[in-house]
Amino acid sequence: MTTTPVTAVAAATDPEPVVPPVRPRRASGKRDTRVALVFLAPWLIGLVLLTIGPMIYSLYLSFTSYNLLSSPTWVGLDNFRTLFTLDQRYLTSIRVTLVYVVTSVPLVLVVSMLVAILLNSRIRFLTSYRALFYLPSLIGTSVAIAALWRQVFGAEGLFNEALRLVGIEHTSWVGSPDTALGTIVALGVWSFGSTMIIFLAGLRQVPKELLEAAAVDGAGPLRRFFSVTLPMMTPIVFFNGLMVTINAFQVFTGAFVISNGTGGPANSTLFYTLYLYEQGFTRLNMGYASAMAWVLVGGLGIFTAIYFWTSRYWVYYGDNKR
C-alpha cells in the first residue's frame, strides 16, 4: 500500500493522541485511604473519647474506692469480693433481674410472633393495625409511659376500676411486693412492636411453595406452622431472642419510675441496673458501681457466647451453614 502525499502531510501535521497519565495504583489507594479516614474521623474520635476511653477508665475504677470527691484508692479485688460474699442487696438484684428475664423474654417473643402472624394474614385495615401495634414500641418504656403505668396499676388506677366492674377488689398492684414485678413485666411485653415488625418481615420470606406443598399433603394450619414456618423462622427467632434478652438484662427506666428509684416495695423491683445506679449516683460509690458494670458486661458476654454455641442445634439456615 502506497502513501499519497496528502496522507503523508496529514499524518505529519496531526497531533499525537493525548494519553492521560496513569497514576500509580499504590498512590491512588493511599489517597482513598486518607479520604476514608477523613470521613470516619468523627466516628473514630467519638468511639475513642465516648466509648473506649470511659470503658478503660471504668475498668480501672472497678479496682478502686472512689466517691467522686477524692482521688481513687486502689483496693484490688475487694469490690468484686464484696459483691458476691457480703452484699445481700446485690444478690437480690441478680435474682429479681433473672426472674424478669425468664418471664418477660418468652412472653415478648410469643406475643410478638402471634401478632405478626395475625398481621401477615389478609384482613381489612391491615396497615392501620400494623401502625397501631408498632406505636407502643416508639414510646416504649419512656419516663412518661412508666409514670402512666404507675397510675394505671395504682390503688385507684384504671386497672382496679375495671376489676371492680366484675366484682374483684385489689390493692395497689405496684405497691404490693407480690405483684409489682409483674406490672413491670407487663410494661416490657407492652412494647413488643419492634420485635413484631422483625417477625413480620421474616414471615414474608417463608416460601409459599413449601406451605402449599404441606397443605397438599394434608397438613393443617398448626402442622404447617410447626413443621414449615417455625423452622424457617429460627434465624429470626435467634436474633429477636438475643436482642430482647440483652435489653431485659438492662431494664431500668420502668423500674426506676414505678418504684421511685428505691427498688421497692420490699426490694421486689430492685433490678441490677437500678442497684448499680443507686451505688454510683446516690451513694457516690463509683468504684463499686464500676465493678457491678463489668460483672454485667462479663455476664452478658458469657450468655451471648452460650446463645451462639447452642444455635447450631436449633437454628436452620437452609444451606446447612450452622
Side-chain angles (χ1 to χ4, degrees):
M1 182 179 180
T2 60
T3 303
T4 64
V6 176
T7 305
V9 172
T13 56
D14 284 347
E16 292 291 333
V18 178
V19 179
V22 179
R23 295 181 179 179
R25 180 170 298 178
R26 180 175 299 178
S28 177
K30 288 183 178 179
R31 189 193 63 177
D32 293 343
T33 303
R34 287 195 295 269
V35 172
L37 288 176
V38 168
F39 280 100
L40 286 173
W43 179 81
L44 289 174
I45 294 173
L47 177 66
V48 172
L49 295 182
L50 302 178
T51 303
I52 297 178
M55 286 184 66
I56 295 175
Y57 189 60
S58 171
L59 181 61
Y60 162 72
L61 290 180
S62 67
F63 297 100
T64 67
S65 175
Y66 181 47
N67 61 3
L68 293 176
L69 303 177
S70 58
S71 299
T73 303
W74 185 265
V75 295
L77 296 175
D78 284 357
N79 288 331
F80 296 94
R81 192 178 298 113
T82 303
L83 282 175
F84 293 102
T85 58
L86 300 177
D87 193 344
Q88 292 300 319
R89 277 176 63 82
Y90 174 74
L91 299 179
T92 300
S93 71
I94 293 179
R95 178 182 60 78
V96 171
T97 303
L98 289 178
V99 171
Y100 176 80
V101 171
V102 171
T103 53
S104 67
V105 171
L107 285 174
V108 170
L109 294 178
V110 171
V111 171
S112 56
M113 174 68 87
L114 291 177
V115 176
I117 293 173
L118 176 64
L119 297 182
N120 194 40
S121 59
R122 295 180 178 179
I123 57 178
R124 299 182 61 186
F125 309 114
L126 191 57
T127 304
S128 301
Y129 288 136
R130 288 174 184 169
L132 183 63
F133 281 112
Y134 185 67
L135 185 61
S137 68
L138 294 179
I139 48 182
T141 54
S142 62
V143 174
I145 294 301
L148 175 64
W149 214 256
R150 186 175 57 188
Q151 294 298 323
V152 169
F153 288 97
E156 303 298 328
L158 184 63
F159 192 69
N160 273 345
E161 291 296 330
L163 290 180
R164 289 191 184 99
L165 295 177
V166 293
I168 300 176
E169 294 288 340
H170 198 282
T171 57
S172 173
W173 293 81
V174 296
S176 171
D178 298 327
T179 56
L181 182 59
T183 62
I184 299 177
V185 171
L187 178 59
V189 176
W190 182 71
S191 56
F192 65 90
S194 58
T195 308
M196 179 269 295
I197 288 295
I198 297 175
F199 274 138
L200 182 59
L203 288 172
R204 295 298 180 91
Q205 302 303 317
V206 176
K208 293 183 179 179
E209 296 80 7
L210 294 179
L211 296 173
E212 292 171 354
V216 170
D217 289 340
L222 285 178
R223 182 63 181 275
R224 290 199 299 272
F225 174 76
F226 285 106
S227 299
V228 179
T229 303
L230 191 57
M232 299 295 293
M233 290 284 292
T234 49
I236 309 298
V237 175
F238 171 78
F239 174 80
N240 272 341
L242 181 61
M243 293 296 103
V244 172
T245 304
I246 291 176
N247 289 332
F249 272 110
Q250 302 176 75
V251 60
F252 175 77
T253 305
F256 184 86
V257 174
I258 290 175
S259 69
N260 288 323
T262 62
N267 293 333
S268 60
T269 60
L270 185 64
F271 288 93
Y272 194 99
T273 53
L274 188 59
Y275 188 49
L276 190 155
Y277 176 87
E278 176 186 319
Q279 286 290 339
F281 297 97
T282 302
R283 302 183 183 184
L284 299 183
N285 197 354
M286 296 302 294
Y288 198 73
S290 298
M292 289 185 62
W294 277 98
V295 171
L296 178 61
V297 171
L300 287 177
I302 294 172
F303 167 80
T304 304
I306 295 174
Y307 207 70
F308 271 90
W309 181 77
T310 58
S311 67
R312 68 181 67 183
Y313 300 108
W314 61 276
V315 178
Y316 174 71
Y317 290 104
D319 53 359
N320 294 327
K321 291 181 179 179
R322 294 175 181 272

